[in-house]
Coordinates of all heavy atoms in Angstrom, one line a residue:
M1 N -7.8 13.2 -16.5 CA -8.3 12.4 -15.4 C -9.7 11.9 -15.6 O -10.0 10.7 -15.3 CB -8.3 13.4 -14.1 CG -8.1 12.7 -12.8 SD -6.5 11.8 -12.8 CE -6.6 11.2 -11.1
T2 N -10.5 12.7 -16.3 CA -11.9 12.2 -16.6 C -11.8 11.1 -17.6 O -12.5 10.1 -17.5 CB -12.7 13.3 -17.1 OG1 -12.6 14.4 -16.2 CG2 -14.2 12.9 -17.2
S3 N -11.0 11.2 -18.6 CA -10.9 10.2 -19.7 C -10.4 8.9 -19.1 O -10.8 7.8 -19.5 CB -10.1 10.7 -20.8 OG -8.8 10.9 -20.4
L4 N -9.4 8.9 -18.2 CA -8.9 7.7 -17.6 C -10.0 7.0 -16.8 O -10.1 5.8 -16.9 CB -7.7 8.1 -16.6 CG -7.1 6.9 -16.0 CD1 -6.4 6.0 -17.0 CD2 -6.1 7.3 -14.9
A5 N -10.8 7.7 -16.0 CA -11.9 7.1 -15.3 C -12.9 6.5 -16.2 O -13.4 5.4 -16.0 CB -12.5 8.1 -14.3
A6 N -13.2 7.1 -17.3 CA -14.1 6.7 -18.3 C -13.6 5.4 -18.9 O -14.3 4.4 -19.1 CB -14.4 7.7 -19.3
A7 N -12.3 5.3 -19.2 CA -11.7 4.1 -19.8 C -11.8 3.0 -18.9 O -12.1 1.8 -19.3 CB -10.3 4.4 -20.2
V8 N -11.5 3.2 -17.6 CA -11.5 2.1 -16.6 C -13.0 1.6 -16.4 O -13.2 0.4 -16.4 CB -11.0 2.6 -15.2 CG1 -11.2 1.6 -14.2 CG2 -9.5 2.8 -15.4
T9 N -13.9 2.5 -16.4 CA -15.3 2.1 -16.3 C -15.8 1.3 -17.5 O -16.4 0.3 -17.4 CB -16.2 3.4 -16.2 OG1 -15.8 4.1 -15.1 CG2 -17.7 3.0 -15.9
H10 N -15.4 1.7 -18.7 CA -15.7 1.1 -20.0 C -15.1 -0.4 -19.9 O -15.8 -1.3 -20.3 CB -15.0 1.8 -21.1 CG -15.4 1.3 -22.4 ND1 -16.6 1.4 -23.0 CD2 -14.6 0.6 -23.3 CE1 -16.6 0.8 -24.2 NE2 -15.4 0.2 -24.4
D11 N -13.9 -0.5 -19.4 CA -13.3 -1.8 -19.3 C -14.0 -2.7 -18.3 O -14.2 -3.9 -18.5 CB -11.8 -1.7 -18.9 CG -10.9 -2.7 -19.5 OD1 -11.3 -3.1 -20.6 OD2 -9.9 -3.0 -18.9
A12 N -14.4 -2.1 -17.2 CA -15.0 -2.9 -16.1 C -16.4 -3.5 -16.6 O -16.8 -4.5 -16.0 CB -15.2 -2.0 -14.9
H13 N -17.1 -2.8 -17.5 CA -18.4 -3.3 -18.0 C -18.2 -4.4 -19.0 O -19.2 -4.9 -19.5 CB -19.2 -2.2 -18.5 CG -19.8 -1.3 -17.4 ND1 -21.0 -1.7 -16.8 CD2 -19.4 -0.1 -16.9 CE1 -21.2 -0.8 -15.8 NE2 -20.3 0.2 -15.9
G14 N -17.0 -4.8 -19.4 CA -16.8 -5.9 -20.3 C -17.1 -5.6 -21.7 O -17.2 -6.5 -22.5
Q15 N -17.1 -4.3 -22.1 CA -17.4 -4.0 -23.5 C -16.1 -4.0 -24.3 O -16.1 -4.0 -25.5 CB -18.0 -2.6 -23.6 CG -19.4 -2.5 -22.9 CD -19.9 -1.1 -22.7 OE1 -19.1 -0.2 -22.6 NE2 -21.2 -1.0 -22.6
T16 N -14.9 -4.0 -23.6 CA -13.6 -4.1 -24.3 C -13.1 -5.5 -24.0 O -13.1 -6.0 -22.9 CB -12.7 -3.0 -23.7 OG1 -13.3 -1.8 -24.0 CG2 -11.4 -3.1 -24.5
L17 N -12.6 -6.2 -25.1 CA -12.1 -7.5 -24.9 C -10.7 -7.4 -24.3 O -9.8 -6.7 -24.8 CB -12.0 -8.2 -26.2 CG -13.3 -8.4 -26.9 CD1 -13.1 -9.0 -28.3 CD2 -14.2 -9.4 -26.1
G18 N -10.4 -8.1 -23.2 CA -9.2 -7.9 -22.5 C -8.3 -9.1 -22.7 O -8.6 -10.0 -23.6
P19 N -7.2 -9.3 -22.0 CA -6.3 -10.4 -22.2 C -6.8 -11.8 -22.0 O -6.3 -12.7 -22.5 CB -5.1 -10.1 -21.2 CG -5.5 -9.0 -20.4 CD -6.8 -8.4 -21.0
H20 N -8.0 -11.9 -21.3 CA -8.5 -13.3 -20.9 C -9.7 -13.6 -21.7 O -10.3 -14.7 -21.5 CB -8.8 -13.3 -19.4 CG -7.6 -13.1 -18.6 ND1 -6.5 -13.9 -18.5 CD2 -7.3 -12.0 -17.7 CE1 -5.7 -13.4 -17.6 NE2 -6.1 -12.2 -17.2
D21 N -10.2 -12.7 -22.6 CA -11.4 -12.9 -23.4 C -11.1 -13.7 -24.7 O -10.2 -13.3 -25.5 CB -12.0 -11.6 -23.8 CG -12.6 -10.8 -22.5 OD1 -13.1 -11.5 -21.7 OD2 -12.4 -9.6 -22.4
H22 N -11.8 -14.8 -24.9 CA -11.7 -15.6 -26.1 C -12.8 -15.3 -27.1 O -13.9 -14.9 -26.7 CB -11.8 -17.1 -25.7 CG -10.6 -17.6 -24.9 ND1 -9.7 -18.4 -25.4 CD2 -10.3 -17.4 -23.6 CE1 -8.8 -18.7 -24.5 NE2 -9.1 -18.1 -23.3
V23 N -12.5 -15.4 -28.3 CA -13.4 -15.1 -29.4 C -13.2 -16.3 -30.4 O -12.1 -16.8 -30.6 CB -13.1 -13.8 -30.1 CG1 -13.8 -13.7 -31.4 CG2 -13.5 -12.7 -29.2
V24 N -14.4 -16.8 -30.9 CA -14.3 -17.8 -32.0 C -14.6 -17.2 -33.3 O -15.6 -16.6 -33.5 CB -15.3 -18.9 -31.7 CG1 -15.3 -20.0 -32.8 CG2 -15.1 -19.6 -30.3
C25 N -13.7 -17.4 -34.3 CA -13.8 -16.8 -35.6 C -14.9 -17.6 -36.3 O -14.9 -18.8 -36.4 CB -12.5 -17.0 -36.4 SG -12.6 -16.5 -38.1
P26 N -15.9 -16.9 -36.9 CA -17.0 -17.6 -37.6 C -16.6 -18.1 -39.0 O -17.3 -18.9 -39.5 CB -18.0 -16.4 -37.8 CG -17.2 -15.1 -37.8 CD -16.1 -15.4 -36.9
I27 N -15.5 -17.8 -39.5 CA -15.1 -18.2 -40.8 C -14.3 -19.6 -40.7 O -14.6 -20.5 -41.4 CB -14.2 -17.2 -41.5 CG1 -15.0 -15.9 -41.7 CG2 -13.6 -17.7 -42.8 CD1 -14.3 -14.7 -42.1
D28 N -13.3 -19.6 -39.8 CA -12.5 -20.9 -39.7 C -12.7 -21.5 -38.3 O -11.9 -22.5 -38.0 CB -11.1 -20.6 -40.0 CG -10.6 -19.3 -39.3 OD1 -10.9 -19.1 -38.2 OD2 -9.9 -18.6 -40.0
D29 N -13.6 -21.1 -37.5 CA -13.8 -21.7 -36.1 C -12.6 -21.8 -35.3 O -12.5 -22.6 -34.4 CB -14.4 -23.2 -36.3 CG -15.9 -23.1 -36.7 OD1 -16.5 -22.1 -36.5 OD2 -16.3 -24.1 -37.3
L30 N -11.7 -20.9 -35.4 CA -10.5 -20.8 -34.6 C -10.8 -19.9 -33.3 O -11.3 -18.9 -33.5 CB -9.3 -20.2 -35.4 CG -8.0 -20.0 -34.5 CD1 -7.4 -21.3 -34.3 CD2 -7.1 -19.0 -35.3
E31 N -10.5 -20.5 -32.2 CA -10.7 -19.8 -30.9 C -9.4 -19.1 -30.6 O -8.3 -19.7 -30.6 CB -11.0 -20.7 -29.8 CG -11.3 -20.0 -28.5 CD -11.7 -20.9 -27.4 OE1 -12.0 -22.1 -27.6 OE2 -11.7 -20.4 -26.2
F32 N -9.4 -17.7 -30.5 CA -8.2 -17.0 -30.2 C -8.5 -15.8 -29.3 O -9.7 -15.5 -29.0 CB -7.6 -16.5 -31.5 CG -8.5 -15.5 -32.3 CD1 -8.2 -14.1 -32.2 CD2 -9.5 -15.9 -33.0 CE1 -9.0 -13.2 -32.8 CE2 -10.3 -14.9 -33.7 CZ -10.1 -13.6 -33.6
R33 N -7.5 -15.2 -28.8 CA -7.6 -14.1 -27.9 C -7.2 -12.8 -28.7 O -6.0 -12.6 -28.9 CB -6.8 -14.3 -26.6 CG -7.4 -15.3 -25.7 CD -6.7 -15.3 -24.4 NE -5.5 -16.2 -24.4 CZ -4.8 -16.5 -23.4 NH1 -5.0 -15.9 -22.2 NH2 -3.8 -17.3 -23.5
P34 N -8.2 -12.0 -29.1 CA -7.8 -10.9 -30.0 C -6.9 -9.8 -29.3 O -6.2 -9.0 -30.0 CB -9.1 -10.2 -30.3 CG -10.1 -10.8 -29.3 CD -9.6 -12.1 -28.8
Y35 N -6.8 -9.9 -28.0 CA -5.9 -8.9 -27.3 C -4.5 -9.1 -27.7 O -3.7 -8.2 -27.8 CB -6.0 -9.2 -25.8 CG -5.3 -8.2 -24.9 CD1 -5.9 -7.0 -24.6 CD2 -4.1 -8.6 -24.3 CE1 -5.2 -6.2 -23.7 CE2 -3.4 -7.7 -23.4 CZ -3.9 -6.5 -23.2 OH -3.3 -5.7 -22.4
Y36 N -4.1 -10.4 -28.0 CA -2.7 -10.7 -28.4 C -2.5 -10.8 -29.9 O -1.4 -11.0 -30.3 CB -2.3 -12.0 -27.7 CG -2.3 -11.9 -26.2 CD1 -3.2 -12.6 -25.5 CD2 -1.4 -11.2 -25.6 CE1 -3.2 -12.5 -24.1 CE2 -1.3 -11.1 -24.2 CZ -2.3 -11.8 -23.5 OH -2.3 -11.6 -22.1
T37 N -3.6 -10.7 -30.7 CA -3.4 -10.8 -32.2 C -3.7 -9.4 -32.8 O -4.1 -9.4 -34.0 CB -4.2 -11.9 -32.7 OG1 -5.7 -11.6 -32.4 CG2 -3.9 -13.2 -32.1
D38 N -3.6 -8.3 -32.1 CA -3.9 -7.0 -32.7 C -5.4 -6.9 -33.1 O -5.7 -6.3 -34.1 CB -3.0 -6.7 -33.9 CG -2.8 -5.1 -34.0 OD1 -3.1 -4.4 -33.1 OD2 -2.4 -4.7 -35.1
G39 N -6.3 -7.7 -32.5 CA -7.7 -7.6 -32.7 C -8.2 -8.4 -33.9 O -9.4 -8.4 -34.2
A40 N -7.3 -9.1 -34.6 CA -7.7 -9.8 -35.8 C -7.4 -11.3 -35.7 O -6.5 -11.7 -35.0 CB -7.0 -9.3 -37.1
C41 N -8.2 -12.1 -36.4 CA -8.0 -13.6 -36.5 C -6.7 -13.8 -37.1 O -6.4 -13.2 -38.2 CB -9.1 -14.3 -37.2 SG -8.8 -16.0 -37.6
P42 N -5.8 -14.6 -36.5 CA -4.4 -14.9 -37.1 C -4.5 -15.6 -38.4 O -3.4 -15.6 -39.2 CB -3.7 -15.6 -36.0 CG -4.7 -16.2 -35.2 CD -5.9 -15.3 -35.2
I43 N -5.6 -16.3 -38.8 CA -5.6 -17.0 -40.1 C -6.2 -16.2 -41.1 O -5.7 -16.0 -42.2 CB -6.4 -18.4 -39.8 CG1 -5.6 -19.3 -38.9 CG2 -6.6 -19.0 -41.2 CD1 -6.4 -20.5 -38.6
C44 N -7.4 -15.6 -40.9 CA -8.1 -15.0 -42.1 C -8.2 -13.5 -41.8 O -8.6 -12.8 -42.8 CB -9.5 -15.6 -42.2 SG -10.6 -15.2 -40.8
G45 N -7.9 -12.9 -40.7 CA -7.9 -11.5 -40.5 C -9.3 -10.9 -40.0 O -9.5 -9.8 -40.0
W46 N -10.3 -11.8 -39.8 CA -11.6 -11.4 -39.3 C -11.5 -10.7 -38.0 O -10.6 -11.0 -37.1 CB -12.5 -12.6 -39.1 CG -13.8 -12.3 -38.5 CD1 -14.9 -11.8 -39.0 CD2 -14.1 -12.5 -37.1 NE1 -15.9 -11.7 -38.1 CE2 -15.4 -12.0 -36.9 CE3 -13.4 -13.0 -36.0 CZ2 -16.1 -12.1 -35.7 CZ3 -14.0 -12.9 -34.7 CH2 -15.3 -12.6 -34.6
R47 N -12.2 -9.6 -37.8 CA -12.2 -8.8 -36.6 C -13.5 -8.9 -35.8 O -14.6 -8.8 -36.5 CB -11.8 -7.4 -36.8 CG -10.4 -7.2 -37.3 CD -10.1 -5.7 -37.6 NE -8.7 -5.6 -38.0 CZ -7.7 -5.5 -37.1 NH1 -8.0 -5.4 -35.9 NH2 -6.5 -5.4 -37.6
P48 N -13.5 -9.1 -34.5 CA -14.8 -9.1 -33.8 C -15.4 -7.7 -33.7 O -14.7 -6.7 -33.9 CB -14.4 -9.6 -32.4 CG -12.9 -9.3 -32.3 CD -12.4 -9.4 -33.6
D49 N -16.7 -7.6 -33.4 CA -17.4 -6.3 -33.4 C -17.0 -5.5 -32.1 O -17.0 -4.3 -32.1 CB -18.9 -6.5 -33.4 CG -19.4 -7.1 -34.7 OD1 -18.7 -6.9 -35.7 OD2 -20.4 -7.8 -34.7
E50 N -16.7 -6.3 -31.0 CA -16.3 -5.6 -29.8 C -15.0 -4.8 -29.9 O -14.1 -5.3 -30.7 CB -16.2 -6.6 -28.6 CG -17.5 -7.2 -28.3 CD -17.8 -8.5 -29.0 OE1 -17.1 -8.7 -30.0 OE2 -18.7 -9.2 -28.7
A51 N -14.8 -3.8 -29.2 CA -13.5 -3.1 -29.1 C -12.5 -4.0 -28.4 O -12.8 -4.8 -27.4 CB -13.7 -1.8 -28.3
V52 N -11.3 -4.0 -28.9 CA -10.3 -4.8 -28.3 C -9.2 -3.9 -27.6 O -8.8 -2.9 -28.2 CB -9.6 -5.6 -29.4 CG1 -8.4 -6.4 -28.9 CG2 -10.6 -6.5 -30.2
G53 N -8.9 -4.3 -26.4 CA -7.9 -3.5 -25.6 C -6.5 -3.8 -26.1 O -6.3 -4.8 -26.9
R54 N -5.6 -3.0 -25.8 CA -4.2 -3.2 -26.2 C -3.3 -3.1 -25.0 O -3.6 -2.4 -24.1 CB -3.8 -2.0 -27.2 CG -4.3 -2.2 -28.6 CD -4.1 -0.9 -29.4 NE -2.8 -0.3 -29.4 CZ -1.9 -0.7 -30.3 NH1 -2.2 -1.5 -31.2 NH2 -0.7 -0.2 -30.3
P55 N -2.2 -3.9 -24.9 CA -1.3 -3.8 -23.9 C -0.7 -2.3 -23.8 O -0.6 -1.7 -24.8 CB -0.2 -4.8 -24.3 CG -0.8 -5.7 -25.3 CD -1.9 -4.9 -26.0
W56 N -0.5 -1.9 -22.6 CA -0.2 -0.4 -22.4 C 1.2 -0.1 -23.1 O 1.4 1.0 -23.5 CB -0.1 -0.1 -20.9 CG 0.9 -0.8 -20.1 CD1 0.7 -2.0 -19.5 CD2 2.3 -0.4 -20.0 NE1 1.9 -2.4 -18.9 CE2 2.9 -1.4 -19.2 CE3 3.0 0.6 -20.4 CZ2 4.2 -1.4 -18.8 CZ3 4.4 0.7 -20.0 CH2 4.9 -0.3 -19.3
W57 N 2.1 -1.1 -23.2 CA 3.4 -0.8 -23.7 C 3.4 -0.6 -25.2 O 4.3 0.0 -25.7 CB 4.4 -1.9 -23.3 CG 4.0 -3.3 -23.8 CD1 4.2 -3.8 -25.0 CD2 3.3 -4.3 -23.0 NE1 3.8 -5.1 -25.0 CE2 3.2 -5.4 -23.8 CE3 2.8 -4.3 -21.7 CZ2 2.6 -6.6 -23.4 CZ3 2.2 -5.4 -21.3 CH2 2.0 -6.6 -22.1
L58 N 2.3 -1.0 -25.9 CA 2.2 -0.7 -27.3 C 1.9 0.8 -27.6 O 2.2 1.3 -28.6 CB 1.2 -1.6 -28.0 CG 1.5 -3.1 -28.1 CD1 0.4 -3.8 -28.8 CD2 2.9 -3.3 -28.8
D59 N 1.2 1.4 -26.6 CA 0.8 2.8 -26.7 C 1.8 3.7 -26.0 O 1.7 4.9 -26.2 CB -0.6 3.0 -26.1 CG -1.6 2.2 -26.9 OD1 -1.5 2.1 -28.1 OD2 -2.6 1.8 -26.2
A60 N 2.9 3.2 -25.4 CA 3.8 4.0 -24.7 C 4.8 4.6 -25.7 O 5.1 4.0 -26.7 CB 4.6 3.1 -23.7
D61 N 5.2 5.9 -25.4 CA 6.1 6.6 -26.3 C 7.5 6.0 -26.1 O 8.0 6.1 -24.9 CB 6.0 8.0 -25.9 CG 6.9 8.9 -26.9 OD1 7.5 8.4 -27.8 OD2 7.0 10.1 -26.7
P62 N 8.2 5.4 -27.1 CA 9.5 4.9 -26.9 C 10.5 5.9 -26.4 O 11.4 5.5 -25.7 CB 9.8 4.2 -28.2 CG 8.9 4.8 -29.2 CD 7.7 5.2 -28.4
V63 N 10.4 7.1 -26.8 CA 11.3 8.2 -26.4 C 11.2 8.4 -24.9 O 12.2 8.5 -24.2 CB 11.1 9.4 -27.2 CG1 12.0 10.6 -26.7 CG2 11.4 9.2 -28.7
L64 N 9.9 8.5 -24.4 CA 9.7 8.7 -23.0 C 10.2 7.5 -22.2 O 10.8 7.7 -21.2 CB 8.2 8.9 -22.8 CG 7.8 9.3 -21.3 CD1 8.4 10.7 -21.1 CD2 6.3 9.3 -21.2
V65 N 10.0 6.3 -22.7 CA 10.5 5.1 -22.0 C 12.0 5.2 -21.9 O 12.6 4.8 -20.9 CB 10.0 3.8 -22.7 CG1 10.6 2.6 -22.1 CG2 8.4 3.7 -22.7
A66 N 12.7 5.4 -23.1 CA 14.2 5.5 -23.0 C 14.6 6.6 -22.1 O 15.6 6.4 -21.4 CB 14.6 5.9 -24.5
F67 N 13.9 7.8 -22.0 CA 14.3 8.8 -21.1 C 14.2 8.3 -19.6 O 15.1 8.6 -18.8 CB 13.4 10.0 -21.3 CG 13.7 11.1 -20.3 CD1 14.8 11.9 -20.4 CD2 12.8 11.3 -19.3 CE1 15.0 12.9 -19.5 CE2 13.0 12.3 -18.3 CZ 14.1 13.1 -18.4
V68 N 13.1 7.6 -19.3 CA 12.9 7.1 -17.9 C 14.0 6.1 -17.6 O 14.6 6.1 -16.5 CB 11.5 6.5 -17.8 CG1 11.4 5.8 -16.4 CG2 10.4 7.6 -17.9
V69 N 14.3 5.2 -18.5 CA 15.4 4.2 -18.3 C 16.7 4.9 -18.1 O 17.5 4.6 -17.2 CB 15.4 3.2 -19.5 CG1 16.7 2.4 -19.4 CG2 14.2 2.3 -19.5
A70 N 17.1 5.9 -18.9 CA 18.3 6.7 -18.7 C 18.4 7.4 -17.4 O 19.4 7.4 -16.8 CB 18.5 7.6 -19.9
A71 N 17.2 8.0 -17.0 CA 17.2 8.7 -15.7 C 17.4 7.7 -14.5 O 18.1 8.0 -13.6 CB 15.8 9.4 -15.5
V72 N 16.7 6.5 -14.6 CA 17.0 5.5 -13.6 C 18.4 5.0 -13.5 O 19.0 4.8 -12.4 CB 16.0 4.3 -13.8 CG1 16.3 3.1 -12.9 CG2 14.5 4.7 -13.6
V73 N 19.0 4.8 -14.7 CA 20.4 4.3 -14.7 C 21.3 5.4 -14.2 O 22.3 5.1 -13.4 CB 20.8 3.9 -16.2 CG1 22.2 3.7 -16.3 CG2 20.0 2.6 -16.6
A74 N 21.0 6.6 -14.5 CA 21.9 7.8 -14.0 C 21.8 7.8 -12.5 O 22.8 8.0 -11.8 CB 21.4 9.1 -14.7
A75 N 20.6 7.7 -11.9 CA 20.4 7.7 -10.5 C 21.1 6.6 -9.8 O 21.8 6.7 -8.8 CB 18.9 7.7 -10.2
L76 N 21.0 5.4 -10.5 CA 21.8 4.2 -10.0 C 23.3 4.5 -9.9 O 23.9 4.1 -9.0 CB 21.4 3.0 -10.8 CG 21.7 1.7 -10.2 CD1 20.7 1.4 -9.0 CD2 21.4 0.6 -11.2
M77 N 23.8 5.1 -11.0 CA 25.3 5.4 -11.1 C 25.7 6.3 -10.0 O 26.7 6.2 -9.4 CB 25.6 6.0 -12.4 CG 25.4 5.1 -13.6 SD 26.6 3.8 -13.6 CE 27.3 4.1 -15.2
V78 N 24.8 7.4 -9.7 CA 25.0 8.3 -8.6 C 25.2 7.5 -7.2 O 26.1 7.8 -6.5 CB 24.0 9.4 -8.6 CG1 24.1 10.2 -7.2 CG2 24.1 10.3 -9.8
V79 N 24.2 6.6 -7.0 CA 24.2 5.8 -5.8 C 25.5 5.0 -5.7 O 26.2 4.9 -4.6 CB 22.9 4.9 -5.7 CG1 23.0 3.9 -4.6 CG2 21.7 5.8 -5.6
I80 N 25.9 4.3 -6.8 CA 27.1 3.5 -6.8 C 28.3 4.3 -6.5 O 29.2 4.0 -5.7 CB 27.2 2.8 -8.1 CG1 26.1 1.7 -8.3 CG2 28.6 2.1 -8.3 CD1 26.0 1.0 -9.6
V81 N 28.5 5.5 -7.2 CA 29.6 6.4 -7.0 C 29.7 6.9 -5.5 O 30.8 6.9 -4.9 CB 29.6 7.6 -8.0 CG1 30.6 8.6 -7.6 CG2 29.8 7.0 -9.4
I82 N 28.6 7.3 -5.0 CA 28.5 7.8 -3.6 C 28.9 6.6 -2.6 O 29.7 6.8 -1.7 CB 27.2 8.4 -3.3 CG1 27.0 9.7 -4.0 CG2 27.0 8.6 -1.8 CD1 25.6 10.3 -3.9
A83 N 28.4 5.4 -2.9 CA 28.7 4.3 -2.1 C 30.2 3.9 -2.1 O 30.9 3.6 -1.1 CB 27.8 3.1 -2.4
A84 N 30.8 4.0 -3.3 CA 32.2 3.7 -3.5 C 33.1 4.7 -2.8 O 34.1 4.4 -2.3 CB 32.5 3.5 -5.0
Y85 N 32.7 6.0 -2.9 CA 33.4 7.1 -2.4 C 33.5 7.0 -0.8 O 34.5 7.3 -0.2 CB 32.8 8.4 -2.8 CG 33.5 9.7 -2.3 CD1 34.8 10.0 -2.8 CD2 33.0 10.4 -1.3 CE1 35.4 11.2 -2.4 CE2 33.6 11.5 -0.8 CZ 34.9 11.9 -1.3 OH 35.5 13.0 -0.9
R86 N 32.3 6.6 -0.2 CA 32.2 6.6 1.2 C 32.9 5.4 1.8 O 33.3 5.4 3.0 CB 30.7 6.5 1.6 CG 30.0 7.8 1.5 CD 28.6 7.7 2.0 NE 28.1 9.0 2.4 CZ 27.0 9.2 3.1 NH1 26.3 8.1 3.4 NH2 26.6 10.3 3.5
S87 N 33.1 4.3 1.0 CA 33.7 3.1 1.6 C 35.3 3.2 1.6 O 35.8 4.0 0.9 CB 33.2 1.9 0.9 OG 33.6 1.9 -0.4
Ligands
ZN1 ZN1 -10.4 -16.6 -39.0

């Protein structure tokens, strides 16, 4: 809980580059958003000094995501079967 609050505060102070932050590469003058390029310039690979945020789904555990999807589908099947049985 403490680490989550610290991460949000860190983000709110603008020290982490988010999805809307643009950076200009000093080598090839390309303006890009490092949030979507894994933190590196897509042409030369230069990285800004600031920390770059990552979309949450890149850090999500795929097994956990698959389990949640399977659980939701199973619950949906239960609802469908109960509705079909009652009608
Ligand atoms: Zn570059």
Side-chain angles (χ1 to χ4, degrees):
M1 209 57 178
T2 310
S3 62
L4 179 66
V8 169
T9 305
H10 183 75
D11 214 30
H13 284 278
Q15 294 167 338
T16 301
L17 297 176
H20 302 292
D21 293 322
H22 291 254
V23 165
V24 177
C25 175
I27 297 169
D28 44 43
D29 286 336
L30 177 74
E31 183 177 351
F32 65 100
R33 288 190 273 181
Y35 185 82
Y36 296 108
T37 60
D38 205 20
C41 172
I43 294 177
C44 65
W46 171 82
R47 291 179 178 276
D49 294 333
E50 294 90 348
V52 178
R54 282 167 56 88
W56 64 268
W57 57 85
L58 291 181
D59 295 326
D61 184 2
V63 174
L64 188 63
V65 172
F67 175 77
V68 170
V69 169
V72 168
V73 169
L76 200 63
M77 294 288 238
V78 167
V79 170
I80 291 172
V81 167
I82 290 174
Y85 180 75
R86 285 185 155 190
S87 62

